[in-house]
Amino acid sequence: MGGVGKTTLAQLVYNDDRVQRHFQFKAWACVSEDFDVFRVTKSILKSIANDQSNNDDDLNLLQEKLKKQLSGNKFLLVLDDVWNKNYNYWSILSCPFGAGAPGSKIVVTTRNLDAANLTRAYPKYGLKELSDDDCLRVLIQHSLGATGFSTNQSLKDVGEKIAKKCKGLPLAAKTLGGLLRGKDDLTDWEFVLNTDIWNLQEENYGIIPALRVSYHFLPSQLKQCFAYCSLFPKDYEFQEEEIILLWTAEGFLDQEYNGRKMEDLGREFVRELHSRSLFQQSSRDASRFVMHDLINDLARWAAGEIYFRMEDTLAGENRQQFFQTLRHFSYICREYDGKKRLESVCDVEHLRTFLPVNLSDYRRNYLAWSVPHMLLNHLPRLRVFSLCGYCNIFNLPNEIGNLKHLRCLNLSRTRIQILPESINSLYNLHTILLENCWELKKLCKDMGNLTKLRHLRNSDAGLLEEMPKGLGKLTSLLTLGRFVVGKDSGSGLRELKSLTHLQGTLRISKLENVEDVGDACEAQLNNKVNLRTLLLDWSARDVQNLDQCEFETRVLSMLKPHRDVQELTIRGYGGTKFPIWLGDSSFSKLVNLKFGYCRMCTSLPSVGQLPLLKHLKISGMDRVKSVGLEFYGSSCSVPFPSLETLSFSDMREWEEWIPCGAGQEVDEVFPKLRKLSLFNCYKLQGTLPKHSIQKDVNWIHGMAFGYHVPQRVDSTGDHAADELVLVILSKDICLDSGIKSYIAKTLTSFLMPWKGSYLVMLRGNHDNWVLSQAAAQEDDKKKQNEMGLLAITCPTTAAGLFYFAMLYISVPGTSY
């Protein structure tokens, strides 16, 4: 039965701290009715290995990757909402699972006993409906935020009657609780209890009465927004911004209440639908939402004949007949979508929405060349037009200019290269989505007519040559993913001056094309109060002379962002020094700071005064030889007061790290540092700053160390035993017996003060080297056993090379 709590119970188990400690890997995959082995395998691999590659189309290759990740590791896998009864599909999907260690577990949730039998799941737990008392508890929790009616005794009788109407389904109790949330007036509760909606026969509609009641009491604006979600397939996970942009395009958010933007109103609607349990947070990705299958059925019931979602199960060769009342159309993308599948929708001349939906971000989808022409010539009233995910879309027909009512154009994840000039005539356009359009080179030459444009999402368009003319006229623009500085005067930085409403993330690239420092000043980045993330990019190139260095120094000095910026990245900068504003303590909200490949700088910026800086990453600073007082800041009594992670990489000439002023207490430098990572810092010698580690560690030539650092030391002087320490040694090194002994001695002395158990892993190719045996050359077996040093035999190359050594230090009774 749906709505009885199968997924919720699995989520409670999946997120339990004891489960977290028991398994090395966890993964959650929503299977749903469309049992796509490729999609599910990719989803599992992404959860376990954070695999972000989108180019793997070979199922065998994916399964080999997954098998390698699972090999010898204890894992927990949840397969949610399984409907498949095809043994071959299950057999293929489960091939890699046997590589896991004994004790690995797979949890399957399903409404179908045959599907459970197919997976050989044992034991089987059949969830029953809740008792009326339990339903009442769920109702009270979600409506009053309490465990009983102690402060609202007047609601007790009517609450019990409503709970009985839930028929034992926690989903029903939860949605009714969301409906009554914050309402403690008896009249409101009685109104819900006595509504005629309860009397509609469930079998006539297939919708649980309690869910119909929840929909019935939605405000009218929320009703149409909720019904629009019927275009999403079951188990489809969507971003908040995704649905808000669609609602905006359809005019559902046109009324701006109390001066709020449409997007803010949309976020309020999402929160309201979530609070009423009509939207649920995704188990796999907390940034996404999903609708329960029964809620999806409710949305389709509410949508009526105005909406239609074409399922993949419909025969593509059969011509589908549509009512002329149809306004919003979506369909599940197949690998190949042809003319016959979509031509019948062209008969609906008043169609407003054409929305292909991809159930997987990893599958490549192809659309017949004739389809875009056909659609653009027959559907002139479209407000939403999407070709998202079709990898054979290289260009867009000029007929796109026929869609005079168009508000949202989505070409994300296509291979579009040049936008047609006719787009500049779409005066009502609100949104252009070009995310993951890696091959995009040019926008329209002139976009000055698109004065209603609010969103231009082009952050991943790395090949984009320059911005179009007239961008400065788009004063309604809220989001602009990437601004590419061109050599033409029409695409200079001064175009940003009038874009005062920009928010979120802005990336400015090809800053080497700036020809006048005045342009940088005219951009007025310090007036962009809603920008939270700013990336400043200069392309990789050789800075030829000191004049160019000085020019870029002056340019960067003019690109000071607003003090409320939270993340800042500077990459490829060719100046010899950083501007003074960079370490200004007035940047009180700056949390994340990155410097990459600023190869002409001879010293690091003074950023120790930033009060909330938590993450600092520095890489490719080739001319930096020494890190000293200038890094901490001259007038800062507690440098880096909030810093948690510090990373250095590719610092080829870095030789010494001078501690902050003499005589300072340990907790006055990096008081909250938890992770220090150094990679490819070959020339660095000496010791770490005191607080980054409590013992001096001699550097091994050619290696780099990275490790988590405990926040504090306990009263005995030992490291606190509740911290996880990770040591990574990288770089090919010839491990003769002397080097082995030296490494073992260094790591052993490093481990001595720690409590708990240790695990050392070495990875390579051919020869075996066991660290504990090398350690035994320096310490007796008894001391080794007291430390809890566990040996893992791993291969290295025949020449004695090794790549990574990972050291885990954890508390007893836990495992990672």
Side-chain angles (χ1 to χ4, degrees), residues 336-481:
Y336 298 97
D337 286 320
K339 180 179 179 181
K340 287 186 177 180
R341 188 181 187 210
L342 299 169
E343 62 182 353
S344 56
V345 77
C346 292
D347 297 337
V348 187
E349 59 183 43
H350 292 280
L351 195 71
R352 290 187 173 189
T353 304
F354 181 85
L355 186 66
V357 181
N358 292 276
L359 292 179
S360 171
D361 291 338
Y362 315 114
R363 276 287 191 190
R364 291 187 177 183
N365 305 107
Y366 299 86
L367 184 67
W369 293 104
S370 59
V371 172
H373 290 273
M374 176 183 71
L375 296 171
L376 297 176
N377 284 318
H378 288 85
L379 302 173
R381 292 176 175 81
L382 284 177
R383 291 191 173 196
V384 173
F385 181 61
S386 173
L387 296 176
C388 176
Y390 285 116
C391 64
N392 64 326
I393 299 295
F394 295 94
N395 52 63
L396 197 61
N398 278 321
E399 286 85 350
I400 187 69
N402 296 339
L403 309 185
K404 301 302 182 184
H405 302 280
L406 192 66
R407 290 190 174 193
C408 178
L409 175 62
N410 189 354
L411 299 174
S412 297
R413 293 196 291 115
T414 65
R415 298 175 69 181
I416 191 80
Q417 296 178 353
I418 300 176
L419 291 186
E421 295 302 318
S422 56
I423 285 180
N424 195 38
S425 65
L426 301 178
Y427 307 118
N428 291 304
L429 204 56
H430 279 205
T431 301
I432 302 178
L433 299 179
L434 298 165
E435 295 172 307
N436 294 320
C437 290
W438 311 106
E439 299 184 26
L440 182 66
K441 296 179 180 179
K442 293 183 179 181
L443 301 172
C444 313
K445 291 182 180 178
D446 191 336
M447 297 181 71
N449 290 334
L450 306 182
T451 55
K452 295 183 179 180
L453 194 67
R454 301 169 75 91
H455 305 280
L456 177 56
R457 304 277 179 88
N458 64 334
S459 57
D460 301 310
L463 296 182
L464 196 60
E465 296 172 357
E466 62 181 6
M467 301 309 291
K469 295 179 180 180
L471 197 73
K473 299 177 182 178
L474 310 185
T475 55
S476 298
L477 209 58
L478 297 178
T479 58
L480 174 62

Side-chain angles (χ1 to χ4, degrees), residues 198-258:
W198 292 106
N199 300 325
L200 296 177
Q201 295 301 309
E202 180 179 344
E203 57 267 21
N204 293 338
Y205 297 94
I207 305 298
I208 297 172
L211 301 185
R212 288 203 304 265
V213 170
S214 297
Y215 171 77
H216 177 74
F217 285 101
L218 286 176
S220 58
Q221 271 193 294
L222 270 182
K223 280 183 177 179
Q224 64 178 352
C225 290
F226 174 68
Y228 195 87
C229 297
S230 66
L231 295 177
F232 293 151
K234 290 182 179 179
D235 298 318
Y236 178 75
E237 299 181 354
F238 55 91
Q239 297 274 7
E240 178 183 73
E241 290 301 314
E242 177 183 356
I243 189 61
I244 290 174
L245 292 179
L246 291 172
W247 287 342
T248 303
E250 301 296 352
F252 297 163
L253 308 176
D254 278 355
Q255 296 180 352
E256 299 191 12
Y257 295 95
N258 300 323

Side-chain angles (χ1 to χ4, degrees), residues 536-552:
L536 302 175
D537 283 354
W538 283 258
S539 302
R541 80 266 185 240
D542 291 329
V543 179
Q544 299 296 327
N545 52 61
L546 290 178
D547 289 341
Q548 179 66 23
C549 290
E550 175 60 26
F551 179 77
E552 294 195 10

Side-chain angles (χ1 to χ4, degrees), residues 287-308:
S287 69
R288 293 177 177 267
F289 293 93
V290 67
M291 293 191 296
H292 189 282
D293 284 0
L294 297 182
I295 301 296
N296 192 289
D297 291 337
L298 176 67
R300 296 195 75 173
W301 168 77
E305 296 179 353
I306 298 177
Y307 296 83
F308 186 84

Side-chain angles (χ1 to χ4, degrees), residues 705-716:
F705 287 76
Y707 35 83
H708 287 281
V709 181
Q711 275 188 296
R712 58 191 179 281
V713 176
D714 66 19
S715 58
T716 66

